[in-house]
Each structure stands twice: as structure tokens, then as C-alpha cells.
Amino acid sequence: MYNFMTVLLNHCVSQLNSWRTNPFVFMFSSLVKRRFSHVNPTADVVTTIRQYKAYLAEHAYSSAPGMFWGIPKPGDSFDILFPEPLKLSRVVVLTGAAINKKIRDKLLYGSLEISQKFLKMENPKKASCKSFSPVQEFKNGELDMKHLRQLYPQGIQCLRISVGAKQKSWVAITEVAVFTEEDSAAESAAARVGEEGARGGKKSA
């Protein structure tokens, strides 16, 4: 049986020990720097993972500094739901919080699942979507799924981060970056402009 209280107690003791050596760890742990300077498409974010304090699920999806921190159990989900199917090109998920200069609470056992159609909410914390398909597992707490446009040309409406059976530690989801087909086109155009500028600079020299 999953002993939630034991896991909670052990983690609190560990965090309190960290706090004694670094009293500012909790003050600044929510100010997570974003790897991607990017604004995600509008979405609802819900999760069955037990939330820790004020570390909300939507903090991981927002472009503002912040993260989600929680106590998972096997089978928990973290759902990102779009108002309509979107033509996505790439999804990046980063986990793990820096505590006393060490990265802790990574999602080491989990996967990304995708559905093209939202059906209904099973409950306020979990969505029901048509035929979720696992597409990639986490590796060392990170996931970078590319080429989604080719795999799902009709669009994607539901993304799910699923917690695996072997996950024992807490989970800090520090960033979820979702790129659409339009984002990819803009990046390609910017790259071409940069290359042309570099060639022009060489000619001038």
C-alpha cells in the first residue's frame, strides 16, 4: 500500500534540514528561470498530484517564474487541455528543483501521453480524452518531444504527463513549453534572417 504519510514525513525532514543550512531556499525556490523565452498557447492545467503549499500546477505552464511542486503516487496525471485541437510541433517538459545546489525531485519515471480530442472532465483534477497514446518517456527528469506536426496533422487537444509506478520522490515540474506550427515557422524565419545578416556582414568586411 502506498504510504503517503511516510513519504510526506521523510520529505519534510529532508527539506527542513536543507532550510537549516540555507534559510532562503524556500523563499527563492519558486523563482525558476525559464529555459525557453516563450509564451504557451492558452490552456487549462489540472493534476491529480497532491499539491505542496502554493506551488500550483499552472505555474509550470506559465511564462512567468514559478513551478509546480507536489507529492505523486503511481498513476497520477498532469493534464494540459487546449480549447480546441492545435497543430503542435514540439513539447518540452523540465522537472527538478535546485535545493542547496543540488537538483532534487525530478520525474524519473513518467511519460508524455497525447490525445487529439477532449471529451469531458472525469473530476475537477483529471480529464477524459479520446484514446491517449504514450509518445515518449522521461529521461533524467526531462522530455523533449519533436515532430508532432507530422505525427498528429489533425491537431492535439490533450497533453498528459503520467507518473510511473517506480516514482518514489516528490516531483517539481519547473517548465512546460508547448510550441505550435506557427512558432516553428517564426523560428525558421528568424534563423534565415540571422544567416542572411551574417553573410552580409562577411561581404562588408
Side-chain angles (χ1 to χ4, degrees):
M1 179 182 294
Y2 182 83
N3 192 332
F4 169 75
M5 292 306 298
T6 299
V7 174
L8 177 61
L9 179 61
N10 289 340
H11 194 276
C12 286
V13 170
S14 173
Q15 299 304 329
L16 285 171
N17 288 336
S18 297
W19 181 83
R20 291 189 187 100
T21 58
N22 184 357
F24 300 103
V25 63
F26 288 115
M27 184 182 298
F28 297 106
S29 61
S30 63
L31 301 180
V32 178
K33 293 182 179 179
R34 293 287 183 248
R35 183 180 298 182
F36 298 93
S37 177
H38 173 71
V39 178
N40 286 326
T42 300
D44 290 323
V45 183
V46 296
T47 183
T48 61
I49 300 172
R50 187 182 294 267
Q51 175 187 315
Y52 176 63
K53 292 193 174 181
Y55 296 93
L56 304 177
E58 52 264 35
H59 289 174
Y61 191 74
S62 170
S63 58
M67 69 178 185
F68 168 73
W69 211 350
I71 308 101
K73 61 182 183 298
D76 268 341
S77 58
F78 185 100
D79 294 342
I80 299 165
L81 313 169
F82 305 110
E84 59 185 8
L86 298 180
K87 295 177 180 180
L88 305 183
S89 59
R90 181 185 183 191
V91 174
V92 180
V93 183
L94 308 177
T95 71
I99 302 174
N100 281 350
K101 299 182 180 180
K102 292 185 178 180
I103 303 299
R104 306 177 187 274
D105 296 346
K106 292 182 179 181
L107 181 57
L108 298 175
Y109 301 97
S111 62
L112 177 68
E113 300 178 3
I114 285 177
S115 170
Q116 294 179 282
K117 184 175 178 59
F118 170 79
L119 298 176
K120 63 178 182 178
M121 294 301 297
E122 289 186 15
N123 56 59
K125 297 182 178 181
K126 188 173 185 177
S128 176
C129 299
K130 184 177 180 180
S131 302
F132 266 114
S133 300
V135 292
Q136 189 170 313
E137 294 185 351
F138 279 79
K139 184 176 181 180
N140 194 30
E142 297 188 2
L143 180 148
D144 188 349
M145 182 66 195
K146 301 178 181 178
H147 310 300
L148 289 172
R149 181 70 180 91
Q150 291 84 348
L151 295 172
Y152 296 92
Q154 301 304 314
I156 294 168
Q157 195 169 10
C158 307
L159 298 173
R160 170 169 290 172
I161 299 169
S162 182
V163 178
K166 294 182 179 181
Q167 182 71 25
K168 302 300 181 184
S169 70
W170 286 30
V171 168
I173 301 178
T174 53
E175 185 170 358
V176 179
V178 175
F179 299 87
T180 64
E181 187 177 39
E182 289 75 15
D183 293 326
S184 297
E187 288 178 0
S188 298
R192 286 196 297 272
V193 170
E195 290 174 358
E196 290 172 359
R199 288 198 294 269
K202 289 179 180 179
K203 291 178 179 178
S204 298

